[in-house]
Amino acid sequence: MSEAAYLGDRIHYRVTVPGLAAPLAVSVNNLQDGAGFALGAGVGVDWDAGAGLILGP
C-alpha cells in the first residue's frame, strides 16, 4: 500500500499491484476510528465481480 487518506467515515488507499502501470484506488468504510493499514504493508484486495468500475485516463 503506497498511500492512505483518512476522510472521517472512509479511508482511501492507493495499492501498488505488480504488473499494473498505476496503483489501484480503494475506498473502505472506516469502522475503527481511523485505524487502518500501515504504509508499505502488504494487503489483499478483492471485490464482487459486478462491483468494479474502470475509469478512463
Short mmCIF file of all heavy atoms in Angstrom, two decimals:
data_model
loop_
_atom_site.label_atom_id
_atom_site.label_comp_id
_atom_site.label_asym_id
_atom_site.label_seq_id
_atom_site.Cartn_x
_atom_site.Cartn_y
_atom_site.Cartn_z
N MET A 1 0.84 -1.16 0.00
CA MET A 1 0.00 0.00 0.00
C MET A 1 0.89 1.23 0.00
O MET A 1 1.81 1.33 0.79
CB MET A 1 -0.90 -0.02 1.22
CG MET A 1 -1.96 0.97 1.08
SD MET A 1 -2.54 1.78 2.53
CE MET A 1 -1.63 1.18 3.84
N SER A 2 0.63 2.14 -0.92
CA SER A 2 1.55 3.27 -1.08
C SER A 2 1.02 4.60 -0.53
O SER A 2 1.80 5.49 -0.26
CB SER A 2 1.90 3.44 -2.56
OG SER A 2 0.74 3.64 -3.35
N GLU A 3 -0.30 4.75 -0.38
CA GLU A 3 -0.87 5.99 0.14
C GLU A 3 -2.14 5.67 0.92
O GLU A 3 -2.82 4.70 0.63
CB GLU A 3 -1.26 6.95 -0.99
CG GLU A 3 -0.13 7.47 -1.82
CD GLU A 3 -0.64 8.37 -2.94
OE1 GLU A 3 -1.60 9.14 -2.72
OE2 GLU A 3 -0.08 8.28 -4.04
N ALA A 4 -2.45 6.53 1.90
CA ALA A 4 -3.71 6.41 2.64
C ALA A 4 -4.20 7.80 3.01
O ALA A 4 -3.40 8.67 3.36
CB ALA A 4 -3.52 5.56 3.89
N ALA A 5 -5.50 8.00 2.93
CA ALA A 5 -6.11 9.27 3.33
C ALA A 5 -7.32 8.98 4.18
O ALA A 5 -8.27 8.31 3.74
CB ALA A 5 -6.50 10.08 2.11
N TYR A 6 -7.30 9.45 5.42
CA TYR A 6 -8.42 9.27 6.36
C TYR A 6 -9.42 10.39 6.10
O TYR A 6 -9.09 11.57 6.15
CB TYR A 6 -7.89 9.34 7.79
CG TYR A 6 -8.96 9.39 8.84
CD1 TYR A 6 -9.77 8.29 9.07
CD2 TYR A 6 -9.16 10.52 9.61
CE1 TYR A 6 -10.75 8.32 10.04
CE2 TYR A 6 -10.14 10.57 10.59
CZ TYR A 6 -10.93 9.46 10.79
OH TYR A 6 -11.90 9.49 11.75
N LEU A 7 -10.67 10.02 5.78
CA LEU A 7 -11.70 11.00 5.45
C LEU A 7 -12.92 10.85 6.35
O LEU A 7 -14.06 10.94 5.90
CB LEU A 7 -12.11 10.86 3.98
CG LEU A 7 -10.96 11.05 2.98
CD1 LEU A 7 -11.42 10.71 1.57
CD2 LEU A 7 -10.42 12.46 3.04
N GLY A 8 -12.70 10.63 7.63
CA GLY A 8 -13.79 10.51 8.59
C GLY A 8 -14.45 9.15 8.55
O GLY A 8 -14.03 8.23 9.23
N ASP A 9 -15.49 9.01 7.72
CA ASP A 9 -16.19 7.73 7.66
C ASP A 9 -15.60 6.78 6.61
O ASP A 9 -16.06 5.65 6.48
CB ASP A 9 -17.69 7.93 7.39
CG ASP A 9 -17.97 8.56 6.03
OD1 ASP A 9 -17.05 9.17 5.45
OD2 ASP A 9 -19.11 8.44 5.55
N ARG A 10 -14.59 7.21 5.87
CA ARG A 10 -13.96 6.39 4.83
C ARG A 10 -12.45 6.57 4.87
O ARG A 10 -11.95 7.60 5.28
CB ARG A 10 -14.45 6.78 3.44
CG ARG A 10 -15.96 6.67 3.32
CD ARG A 10 -16.46 6.82 1.92
NE ARG A 10 -16.14 5.72 1.03
CZ ARG A 10 -16.64 4.51 1.10
NH1 ARG A 10 -17.47 4.20 2.06
NH2 ARG A 10 -16.34 3.58 0.22
N ILE A 11 -11.76 5.54 4.41
CA ILE A 11 -10.31 5.63 4.20
C ILE A 11 -10.06 5.31 2.74
O ILE A 11 -10.59 4.32 2.21
CB ILE A 11 -9.53 4.66 5.11
CG1 ILE A 11 -9.82 4.95 6.58
CG2 ILE A 11 -8.03 4.76 4.82
CD1 ILE A 11 -9.16 3.97 7.54
N HIS A 12 -9.31 6.16 2.07
CA HIS A 12 -8.94 5.93 0.68
C HIS A 12 -7.49 5.47 0.65
O HIS A 12 -6.62 6.10 1.25
CB HIS A 12 -9.10 7.21 -0.14
CG HIS A 12 -10.52 7.60 -0.34
ND1 HIS A 12 -10.97 8.13 -1.52
CD2 HIS A 12 -11.60 7.53 0.47
CE1 HIS A 12 -12.26 8.38 -1.43
NE2 HIS A 12 -12.67 8.03 -0.22
N TYR A 13 -7.25 4.37 -0.07
CA TYR A 13 -5.91 3.80 -0.20
C TYR A 13 -5.50 3.78 -1.66
O TYR A 13 -6.34 3.70 -2.55
CB TYR A 13 -5.90 2.34 0.29
CG TYR A 13 -6.17 2.14 1.75
CD1 TYR A 13 -7.38 1.63 2.20
CD2 TYR A 13 -5.19 2.44 2.69
CE1 TYR A 13 -7.61 1.43 3.55
CE2 TYR A 13 -5.43 2.23 4.05
CZ TYR A 13 -6.64 1.73 4.46
OH TYR A 13 -6.87 1.53 5.80
N ARG A 14 -4.21 3.83 -1.91
CA ARG A 14 -3.61 3.53 -3.21
C ARG A 14 -2.79 2.27 -3.00
O ARG A 14 -1.91 2.23 -2.14
CB ARG A 14 -2.71 4.65 -3.70
CG ARG A 14 -3.41 5.96 -3.90
CD ARG A 14 -4.08 6.00 -5.24
NE ARG A 14 -4.68 7.33 -5.40
CZ ARG A 14 -5.65 7.59 -6.21
NH1 ARG A 14 -6.13 6.65 -6.98
NH2 ARG A 14 -6.15 8.78 -6.29
N VAL A 15 -3.12 1.23 -3.76
CA VAL A 15 -2.48 -0.07 -3.60
C VAL A 15 -1.67 -0.38 -4.85
O VAL A 15 -2.22 -0.44 -5.96
CB VAL A 15 -3.53 -1.18 -3.35
CG1 VAL A 15 -2.86 -2.53 -3.21
CG2 VAL A 15 -4.36 -0.85 -2.11
N THR A 16 -0.37 -0.55 -4.69
CA THR A 16 0.51 -0.88 -5.80
C THR A 16 0.39 -2.37 -6.12
O THR A 16 0.48 -3.20 -5.21
CB THR A 16 1.97 -0.53 -5.44
OG1 THR A 16 2.03 0.85 -5.09
CG2 THR A 16 2.90 -0.81 -6.60
N VAL A 17 0.14 -2.67 -7.40
CA VAL A 17 -0.03 -4.06 -7.83
C VAL A 17 1.02 -4.35 -8.91
O VAL A 17 1.07 -3.64 -9.92
CB VAL A 17 -1.44 -4.30 -8.39
CG1 VAL A 17 -1.60 -5.72 -8.90
CG2 VAL A 17 -2.49 -3.96 -7.35
N PRO A 18 1.85 -5.36 -8.70
CA PRO A 18 2.83 -5.72 -9.73
C PRO A 18 2.14 -5.98 -11.07
O PRO A 18 1.11 -6.65 -11.13
CB PRO A 18 3.48 -7.00 -9.19
CG PRO A 18 3.26 -6.94 -7.72
CD PRO A 18 1.94 -6.25 -7.54
N GLY A 19 2.68 -5.39 -12.12
CA GLY A 19 2.11 -5.57 -13.46
C GLY A 19 1.15 -4.48 -13.88
O GLY A 19 0.81 -4.39 -15.05
N LEU A 20 0.68 -3.66 -12.94
CA LEU A 20 -0.19 -2.53 -13.30
C LEU A 20 0.63 -1.25 -13.36
O LEU A 20 1.49 -1.02 -12.50
CB LEU A 20 -1.32 -2.35 -12.27
CG LEU A 20 -2.38 -3.44 -12.21
CD1 LEU A 20 -3.45 -3.06 -11.18
CD2 LEU A 20 -3.02 -3.67 -13.57
N ALA A 21 0.35 -0.41 -14.35
CA ALA A 21 1.10 0.83 -14.52
C ALA A 21 0.82 1.84 -13.41
O ALA A 21 1.68 2.61 -13.03
CB ALA A 21 0.77 1.45 -15.88
N ALA A 22 -0.42 1.82 -12.89
CA ALA A 22 -0.81 2.77 -11.84
C ALA A 22 -1.39 2.00 -10.67
O ALA A 22 -1.93 0.90 -10.84
CB ALA A 22 -1.85 3.75 -12.39
N PRO A 23 -1.31 2.56 -9.46
CA PRO A 23 -1.89 1.87 -8.30
C PRO A 23 -3.41 1.83 -8.37
O PRO A 23 -4.04 2.68 -9.00
CB PRO A 23 -1.41 2.70 -7.11
CG PRO A 23 -0.99 4.00 -7.66
CD PRO A 23 -0.66 3.81 -9.10
N LEU A 24 -4.00 0.84 -7.71
CA LEU A 24 -5.45 0.77 -7.57
C LEU A 24 -5.90 1.79 -6.54
O LEU A 24 -5.26 1.96 -5.50
CB LEU A 24 -5.87 -0.61 -7.07
CG LEU A 24 -5.77 -1.80 -8.00
CD1 LEU A 24 -6.18 -3.07 -7.27
CD2 LEU A 24 -6.62 -1.60 -9.24
N ALA A 25 -7.01 2.46 -6.81
CA ALA A 25 -7.63 3.35 -5.83
C ALA A 25 -8.70 2.55 -5.10
O ALA A 25 -9.59 1.98 -5.73
CB ALA A 25 -8.23 4.56 -6.52
N VAL A 26 -8.60 2.47 -3.78
CA VAL A 26 -9.52 1.66 -2.97
C VAL A 26 -10.12 2.54 -1.90
O VAL A 26 -9.41 3.26 -1.19
CB VAL A 26 -8.76 0.47 -2.32
CG1 VAL A 26 -9.71 -0.35 -1.46
CG2 VAL A 26 -8.09 -0.39 -3.38
N SER A 27 -11.44 2.48 -1.75
CA SER A 27 -12.14 3.23 -0.72
C SER A 27 -12.82 2.23 0.21
O SER A 27 -13.52 1.32 -0.25
CB SER A 27 -13.17 4.15 -1.36
OG SER A 27 -13.87 4.88 -0.39
N VAL A 28 -12.61 2.39 1.53
CA VAL A 28 -13.12 1.44 2.51
C VAL A 28 -13.87 2.18 3.61
O VAL A 28 -13.42 3.24 4.06
CB VAL A 28 -11.94 0.65 3.14
CG1 VAL A 28 -12.42 -0.34 4.16
CG2 VAL A 28 -11.11 -0.03 2.07
N ASN A 29 -15.03 1.64 4.02
CA ASN A 29 -15.72 2.23 5.17
C ASN A 29 -14.82 2.16 6.39
O ASN A 29 -14.20 1.13 6.65
CB ASN A 29 -17.02 1.48 5.46
CG ASN A 29 -18.09 1.77 4.45
OD1 ASN A 29 -18.10 2.83 3.83
ND2 ASN A 29 -18.99 0.84 4.27
N ASN A 30 -14.74 3.24 7.13
CA ASN A 30 -13.92 3.28 8.33
C ASN A 30 -14.74 2.82 9.52
O ASN A 30 -15.62 3.53 9.98
CB ASN A 30 -13.41 4.71 8.56
CG ASN A 30 -12.57 4.81 9.81
OD1 ASN A 30 -12.07 3.81 10.30
ND2 ASN A 30 -12.43 6.00 10.33
N LEU A 31 -14.44 1.65 9.99
CA LEU A 31 -15.19 1.08 11.12
C LEU A 31 -14.37 1.08 12.40
O LEU A 31 -14.82 0.61 13.42
CB LEU A 31 -15.62 -0.35 10.79
CG LEU A 31 -16.48 -0.50 9.53
CD1 LEU A 31 -16.75 -1.97 9.24
CD2 LEU A 31 -17.77 0.28 9.66
N GLN A 32 -13.15 1.63 12.35
CA GLN A 32 -12.25 1.52 13.51
C GLN A 32 -11.66 2.87 13.91
O GLN A 32 -10.53 2.96 14.33
CB GLN A 32 -11.12 0.55 13.19
CG GLN A 32 -11.60 -0.84 12.86
CD GLN A 32 -10.47 -1.76 12.45
OE1 GLN A 32 -9.34 -1.32 12.26
NE2 GLN A 32 -10.75 -3.02 12.30
N ASP A 33 -12.40 3.94 13.77
CA ASP A 33 -11.95 5.27 14.19
C ASP A 33 -10.57 5.64 13.65
O ASP A 33 -9.69 6.07 14.39
CB ASP A 33 -11.94 5.38 15.72
CG ASP A 33 -13.34 5.23 16.29
OD1 ASP A 33 -14.30 5.65 15.62
OD2 ASP A 33 -13.47 4.69 17.39
N GLY A 34 -10.38 5.46 12.34
CA GLY A 34 -9.14 5.88 11.72
C GLY A 34 -8.06 4.83 11.67
O GLY A 34 -7.04 5.01 11.03
N ALA A 35 -8.23 3.70 12.37
CA ALA A 35 -7.23 2.65 12.32
C ALA A 35 -7.27 2.01 10.94
O ALA A 35 -8.32 1.82 10.37
CB ALA A 35 -7.49 1.61 13.39
N GLY A 36 -6.11 1.69 10.41
CA GLY A 36 -6.07 1.07 9.10
C GLY A 36 -4.75 0.38 8.89
O GLY A 36 -4.07 0.01 9.84
N PHE A 37 -4.37 0.23 7.64
CA PHE A 37 -3.12 -0.42 7.29
C PHE A 37 -1.97 0.57 7.32
O PHE A 37 -2.14 1.74 6.99
CB PHE A 37 -3.22 -1.03 5.89
CG PHE A 37 -4.30 -2.07 5.78
CD1 PHE A 37 -5.50 -1.79 5.16
CD2 PHE A 37 -4.09 -3.33 6.30
CE1 PHE A 37 -6.49 -2.74 5.06
CE2 PHE A 37 -5.07 -4.31 6.20
CZ PHE A 37 -6.28 -4.00 5.58
N ALA A 38 -0.80 0.10 7.67
CA ALA A 38 0.40 0.94 7.67
C ALA A 38 0.91 1.09 6.24
O ALA A 38 0.79 0.17 5.43
CB ALA A 38 1.48 0.31 8.54
N LEU A 39 1.47 2.26 5.94
CA LEU A 39 2.08 2.46 4.62
C LEU A 39 3.15 1.41 4.39
O LEU A 39 3.92 1.08 5.28
CB LEU A 39 2.67 3.86 4.50
CG LEU A 39 1.67 5.01 4.46
CD1 LEU A 39 2.40 6.33 4.37
CD2 LEU A 39 0.71 4.86 3.30
N GLY A 40 3.18 0.84 3.20
CA GLY A 40 4.14 -0.19 2.87
C GLY A 40 3.69 -1.59 3.24
O GLY A 40 4.34 -2.57 2.89
N ALA A 41 2.56 -1.72 3.94
CA ALA A 41 2.07 -3.03 4.34
C ALA A 41 1.58 -3.81 3.13
O ALA A 41 1.04 -3.23 2.19
CB ALA A 41 0.92 -2.89 5.34
N GLY A 42 1.76 -5.10 3.15
CA GLY A 42 1.17 -5.96 2.14
C GLY A 42 -0.30 -6.17 2.45
O GLY A 42 -0.67 -6.43 3.59
N VAL A 43 -1.15 -5.98 1.47
CA VAL A 43 -2.59 -6.14 1.67
C VAL A 43 -3.16 -6.99 0.53
O VAL A 43 -2.57 -7.09 -0.53
CB VAL A 43 -3.32 -4.78 1.72
CG1 VAL A 43 -2.85 -3.96 2.91
CG2 VAL A 43 -3.14 -4.02 0.43
N GLY A 44 -4.30 -7.57 0.77
CA GLY A 44 -5.04 -8.28 -0.27
C GLY A 44 -6.25 -7.45 -0.67
O GLY A 44 -6.83 -6.75 0.15
N VAL A 45 -6.59 -7.51 -1.94
CA VAL A 45 -7.73 -6.74 -2.45
C VAL A 45 -8.61 -7.68 -3.25
O VAL A 45 -8.14 -8.41 -4.11
CB VAL A 45 -7.24 -5.59 -3.36
CG1 VAL A 45 -8.41 -4.82 -3.93
CG2 VAL A 45 -6.31 -4.66 -2.61
N ASP A 46 -9.92 -7.67 -2.94
CA ASP A 46 -10.88 -8.40 -3.77
C ASP A 46 -12.20 -7.66 -3.75
O ASP A 46 -12.41 -6.76 -2.95
CB ASP A 46 -11.03 -9.84 -3.30
CG ASP A 46 -11.63 -9.99 -1.90
OD1 ASP A 46 -12.18 -9.01 -1.37
OD2 ASP A 46 -11.55 -11.07 -1.35
N TRP A 47 -13.07 -8.03 -4.68
CA TRP A 47 -14.38 -7.39 -4.78
C TRP A 47 -15.30 -8.30 -5.57
O TRP A 47 -14.86 -9.19 -6.28
CB TRP A 47 -14.29 -6.00 -5.42
CG TRP A 47 -13.63 -5.98 -6.76
CD1 TRP A 47 -14.23 -6.20 -7.97
CD2 TRP A 47 -12.24 -5.77 -7.02
NE1 TRP A 47 -13.30 -6.13 -8.96
CE2 TRP A 47 -12.07 -5.84 -8.41
CE3 TRP A 47 -11.14 -5.48 -6.22
CZ2 TRP A 47 -10.82 -5.68 -9.01
CZ3 TRP A 47 -9.91 -5.33 -6.83
CH2 TRP A 47 -9.76 -5.42 -8.21
N ASP A 48 -16.60 -8.06 -5.44
CA ASP A 48 -17.59 -8.81 -6.22
C ASP A 48 -17.39 -8.46 -7.69
O ASP A 48 -17.08 -7.31 -8.05
CB ASP A 48 -19.00 -8.45 -5.79
CG ASP A 48 -19.36 -8.94 -4.41
OD1 ASP A 48 -18.78 -9.96 -3.97
OD2 ASP A 48 -20.22 -8.32 -3.76
N ALA A 49 -17.64 -9.43 -8.57
CA ALA A 49 -17.42 -9.24 -10.00
C ALA A 49 -18.17 -8.04 -10.57
O ALA A 49 -17.65 -7.33 -11.43
CB ALA A 49 -17.81 -10.51 -10.75
N GLY A 50 -19.35 -7.76 -10.09
CA GLY A 50 -20.14 -6.64 -10.61
C GLY A 50 -19.86 -5.30 -9.96
O GLY A 50 -20.45 -4.30 -10.33
N ALA A 51 -18.95 -5.26 -8.99
CA ALA A 51 -18.73 -4.03 -8.23
C ALA A 51 -17.57 -3.19 -8.75
O ALA A 51 -17.39 -2.06 -8.32
CB ALA A 51 -18.46 -4.37 -6.76
N GLY A 52 -16.79 -3.70 -9.69
CA GLY A 52 -15.64 -2.95 -10.21
C GLY A 52 -16.08 -1.82 -11.13
O GLY A 52 -17.10 -1.91 -11.81
N LEU A 53 -15.31 -0.75 -11.15
CA LEU A 53 -15.57 0.40 -12.01
C LEU A 53 -14.26 0.84 -12.60
O LEU A 53 -13.35 1.24 -11.87
CB LEU A 53 -16.21 1.53 -11.21
CG LEU A 53 -16.52 2.81 -11.95
CD1 LEU A 53 -17.52 2.56 -13.08
CD2 LEU A 53 -17.06 3.86 -11.00
N ILE A 54 -14.14 0.78 -13.91
CA ILE A 54 -12.92 1.21 -14.59
C ILE A 54 -13.13 2.61 -15.12
O ILE A 54 -14.07 2.88 -15.88
CB ILE A 54 -12.55 0.25 -15.73
CG1 ILE A 54 -12.31 -1.15 -15.16
CG2 ILE A 54 -11.34 0.75 -16.51
CD1 ILE A 54 -12.08 -2.22 -16.19
N LEU A 55 -12.26 3.53 -14.74
CA LEU A 55 -12.34 4.92 -15.17
C LEU A 55 -11.30 5.18 -16.23
O LEU A 55 -10.20 4.62 -16.20
CB LEU A 55 -12.10 5.85 -13.98
CG LEU A 55 -13.04 5.65 -12.79
CD1 LEU A 55 -12.62 6.56 -11.65
CD2 LEU A 55 -14.48 5.92 -13.18
N GLY A 56 -11.60 6.04 -17.17
CA GLY A 56 -10.66 6.40 -18.21
C GLY A 56 -9.57 7.31 -17.68
O GLY A 56 -9.65 7.80 -16.55
N PRO A 57 -8.55 7.54 -18.51
CA PRO A 57 -7.42 8.39 -18.06
C PRO A 57 -7.81 9.82 -17.79
O PRO A 57 -8.75 10.33 -18.23
CB PRO A 57 -6.44 8.32 -19.21
CG PRO A 57 -7.13 7.67 -20.34
CD PRO A 57 -8.38 7.05 -19.83
#
